[in-house]
Amino acid sequence: NPIYKPEWEKVSSTLNVDATNLANSTVSIVLKGTASKTFTIEKVEVTVKVADQSMTYGDVVPTNSVTYTGFVNNENEAVLGGSLGFTCEATSASNVGNYTITSSGLEATNYSFKYVEGTLTINARTVTITWPEETSYNYTGSEIVITASLGNVVNDDQVEITSYTGNRGTNVDSYTAIVEGLNNSNYQLPEDNSFDWNIVAVKAELTVSDYNGIYDGIGHTFEATTSHGTLVYSENNSNWD
């Protein structure tokens, strides 16, 4: 009969290790006898996402922010160290377009970081348009041209109107002037940029030429001069003094 030996007995047990603040550390556990186990506690990755931003050309660049995902054990950004910083090439004078925002600078004992970029979108600035106060113009026989001035321009930019429709007229009529284009792509036109105006008829001053003659039963033609040309009038079978 075999003789019982204590070392033959299989022993099973559970070992609990407090791994708090042991990230990226190697832990060696030596059991009684000759058994041992070594394992490494890795840092948990936290994703740091820069929030997308938008602004109008010429305005102050907005303040950046981030969102975090990946914390464990009910922890949050309060456990982080270092100094979170942002990098973006855009300024108040940067042209309309999209600009990348990056972040960096965080530190933590138990966490590593995956930084995700954000985007700053700079939108065109809307100009204001000022039309003349006068909406009605007397007919002159010559072309009348209506022009507008621009406002809400920043950074000492030279912004000019490049084209109109309906801003020129000669004859008596109603017109609608519209600004069609600008010379600077950092600016845009307002939705309503039209101006209604008209050319109205005027009373002409009539000056009739003198005529001296004896009635002869024959029709005669005489001229009357106006402030806008010559009016020709024919009179037949008239008795003249």
Side-chain angles (χ1 to χ4, degrees), residues 65-108:
S65 62
V66 298
T67 56
Y68 300 93
T69 55
F71 286 109
V72 296
N73 298 329
N74 294 319
E75 292 181 329
N76 55 36
E77 60 268 27
V79 302
L80 303 181
S83 178
L84 179 63
F86 299 92
T87 301
C88 183
E89 295 181 354
T91 68
S92 294
S94 295
N95 292 326
V96 167
N98 294 326
Y99 297 83
T100 298
I101 312 169
T102 60
S103 62
S104 62
L106 293 174
E107 298 175 356

Side-chain angles (χ1 to χ4, degrees), residues 163-194:
S163 60
Y164 295 87
T165 58
N167 72 317
R168 295 173 177 270
T170 301
N171 296 321
V172 172
D173 206 343
S174 294
Y175 301 85
T176 298
I178 300 174
V179 176
E180 294 288 349
L182 301 173
N183 68 337
N184 191 318
S185 60
N186 290 322
Y187 295 85
Q188 64 183 3
L189 296 169
E191 292 185 4
D192 182 10
N193 62 0
S194 62

Side-chain angles (χ1 to χ4, degrees), residues 11-197:
V11 178
S12 177
S13 63
T14 299
L15 179 63
N16 294 320
V17 178
D18 183 0
T20 304
N21 295 323
L22 293 179
N24 269 15
S25 301
T26 299
V27 179
S28 296
I29 302 174
V30 180
L31 303 177
K32 186 176 181 179
T34 59
S36 66
K37 178 64 177 177
T38 300
F39 58 94
T40 300
I41 301 174
E42 301 288 347
K43 288 188 175 184
V44 174
E45 183 179 80
V46 168
T47 298
V48 184
K49 172 67 174 71
V50 179
D52 293 333
Q53 304 277 11
S54 64
M55 61 175 282
T56 298
Y57 169 76
D59 286 354
V60 176
V61 176
T63 301
N64 292 306
S65 62
V66 298
T67 56
Y68 300 93
T69 55
F71 286 109
V72 296
N73 298 329
N74 294 319
E75 292 181 329
N76 55 36
E77 60 268 27
V79 302
L80 303 181
S83 178
L84 179 63
F86 299 92
T87 301
C88 183
E89 295 181 354
T91 68
S92 294
S94 295
N95 292 326
V96 167
N98 294 326
Y99 297 83
T100 298
I101 312 169
T102 60
S103 62
S104 62
L106 293 174
E107 298 175 356
T109 302
N110 297 321
Y111 294 98
S112 61
F113 303 99
K114 177 184 178 181
Y115 294 98
V116 180
E117 299 172 344
T119 300
L120 170 63
T121 301
I122 299 181
N123 299 309
R125 191 176 195 86
T126 303
V127 296
T128 58
I129 298 178
T130 302
W131 294 98
E133 293 184 4
E134 185 65 46
T135 59
S136 293
Y137 298 83
N138 290 333
Y139 171 77
T140 64
S142 299
E143 184 179 58
I144 297 174
V145 180
I146 303 299
T147 59
S149 60
L150 300 177
N152 197 30
V153 175
V154 297
N155 297 331
D156 295 324
D157 291 335
Q158 300 300 312
V159 184
E160 299 176 354
I161 298 171
T162 57
S163 60
Y164 295 87
T165 58
N167 72 317
R168 295 173 177 270
T170 301
N171 296 321
V172 172
D173 206 343
S174 294
Y175 301 85
T176 298
I178 300 174
V179 176
E180 294 288 349
L182 301 173
N183 68 337
N184 191 318
S185 60
N186 290 322
Y187 295 85
Q188 64 183 3
L189 296 169
E191 292 185 4
D192 182 10
N193 62 0
S194 62
F195 174 69
D196 294 326
W197 63 287

